[in-house]
Amino acid sequence: MDVALLEALPDHVRTELARRGVELPAVADLIDADPDEPVLLAGSYASGEFNPTSDLDVLVLTRHPRTRRVPGTVNHPSIFGDSFDGLVADLPVNIEYVAEGRLEDLGNVTRTVTDGGQVDLPNLQGLELRLAQRVHSGIPLAGAERLDRLRRLVDIEVVRASAAALAFVGAMSLLEDTTVLESPARELMLRGSAEALLMSGVNAFGRITHDGKHLMRRAAALAGAPGVPALFAERERLLFVDRLPRREALELVLDLAQELYASFPDERCPALVIDMLAPFRESWAWAGRPGLTGRG
């Protein structure tokens, strides 16, 4: 990759790289991109959430499939493409190559959500959520015009709605498990339910979040916003809910889940979350909460 393209890195990133003794030509040498391929700074360096252990993440949207193997890197292939890890000074650098066709596939999913007169809940998983988030929020270093066209393929609000709704369904499912399981499986499911519920809230009111890495930081940032549900302020108590007595823990998560569900019509949330959750409400009758089941 032409090192001149790295001049487009944000000032805060270039400052941090210089502080760590990272030379831009060495970073450019790890990136194997054709001149017509969009290259984006992604991940925590793009969002400003990096810390001393963060990778420098680069996403390349490829037009033509070909073998890419840069000396000094290790590949972690997936169904989305190749993902190479390298090291420059003491900075881990990750370069991910994803074919444009994968974005077209993802776009087809988001376009069919409202087909047939019913809103479906896309079963988008971690890699798909991460790809959508990185494409839409990454900082272009090359190929900005082509990137704009690719971004239009995927309805990012449908993706965010799916992330919020799927996490909410997962939270309720795991919470139901806690009513029949014994310790220690009960505590494990309880903590999983709490994390999923907080993930649902962050995706609904904030940015797409596909794992726990930035979950607490983003929940803390949302806690100061006006009129948001209480689970953001209660995030620490929620995530350590397995330490509470059994009944108190169940009631806490249900209280926060009911309030979060009631908040989904907020204009800050994706419009489709409620419709995506509608088919699941009957299965939540066990909770005895009219606000979740729609019986009151």
Side-chain angles (χ1 to χ4, degrees):
M1 177 180 173
D2 184 354
V3 68
L5 297 176
L6 295 181
E7 298 296 322
L9 288 171
D11 289 343
H12 72 272
V13 175
R14 296 184 64 185
T15 298
E16 176 64 10
L17 297 187
R19 186 190 70 79
R20 297 181 64 161
V22 174
E23 297 183 357
L24 294 185
V27 175
D29 286 343
L30 296 179
I31 304 170
D32 181 11
D34 290 341
D36 58 349
E37 292 176 335
V39 179
L40 299 85
L41 175 69
S44 55
Y45 273 90
S47 67
E49 297 172 304
F50 62 90
N51 61 48
T53 68
S54 297
D55 294 355
L56 182 73
D57 294 300
V58 176
L59 172 63
V60 182
L61 300 175
T62 66
R63 296 184 65 180
H64 309 293
R66 62 187 176 88
T67 301
R68 301 168 192 259
R69 185 171 293 279
V70 176
T73 62
V74 177
N75 190 15
H76 307 286
S78 75
I79 61 171
F80 280 95
D82 293 319
S83 179
F84 293 93
D85 287 336
L87 192 67
V88 178
D90 67 342
L91 177 68
V93 180
N94 174 264
I95 306 98
E96 185 175 16
Y97 300 91
V98 177
E100 292 181 1
R102 294 301 185 181
L103 283 175
E104 294 173 356
D105 294 339
L106 190 53
N108 288 336
V109 172
T110 63
R111 281 192 296 274
T112 59
V113 163
T114 56
D115 286 354
Q118 176 180 315
V119 175
D120 296 320
L121 172 54
N123 189 23
L124 301 179
Q125 298 301 304
L127 286 177
E128 295 161 302
L129 295 175
R130 186 182 72 171
L131 175 60
Q133 190 270 335
R134 288 186 168 187
V135 168
H136 274 265
S137 66
I139 298 171
L141 306 177
E145 290 186 8
R146 189 165 189 82
L147 176 62
D148 287 341
R149 184 188 71 79
L150 295 174
R151 282 174 169 171
R152 290 194 292 271
L153 292 175
V154 179
D155 188 330
I156 197 64
E157 284 302 284
V158 170
V159 175
R160 193 160 70 96
S162 171
L166 275 174
F168 194 91
V169 170
M172 293 300 294
S173 176
L174 291 173
L175 192 60
E176 184 179 13
D177 288 342
T178 70
T179 66
V180 297
L181 294 175
E182 297 299 326
S183 183
R186 181 178 64 242
E187 287 77 19
L188 182 63
M189 295 301 102
L190 192 59
R191 177 168 283 203
S193 174
E195 182 176 348
L197 189 65
L198 190 60
M199 190 84 71
S200 176
V202 169
N203 278 292
F205 282 86
R207 59 185 298 156
I208 293 174
T209 302
H210 57 85
D211 60 27
K213 184 175 182 180
H214 299 297
L215 183 60
M216 286 294 281
R217 178 197 298 267
R218 292 174 183 175
L222 288 166
V228 296
L231 85 165
F232 300 125
E234 293 272 21
R235 60 192 179 278
E236 292 188 16
R237 186 168 175 240
L238 177 62
L239 289 183
F240 291 101
V241 68
D242 56 306
R243 300 179 181 180
L244 298 177
R246 181 175 184 170
R247 190 65 200 176
E248 182 182 350
L250 179 64
E251 290 300 315
L252 172 64
V253 181
L254 281 175
D255 286 346
L256 295 176
Q258 183 169 339
E259 185 194 20
L260 176 60
Y261 184 89
S263 74
F264 284 144
D266 190 295
E267 63 182 9
R268 290 169 289 187
C269 299
L272 292 175
V273 175
I274 288 291
D275 290 332
M276 287 180 175
L277 290 176
F280 298 91
R281 297 185 69 179
E282 288 293 325
S283 68
W284 301 334
W286 64 268
R289 298 294 181 100
L292 291 173
T293 62
R295 296 179 305 181

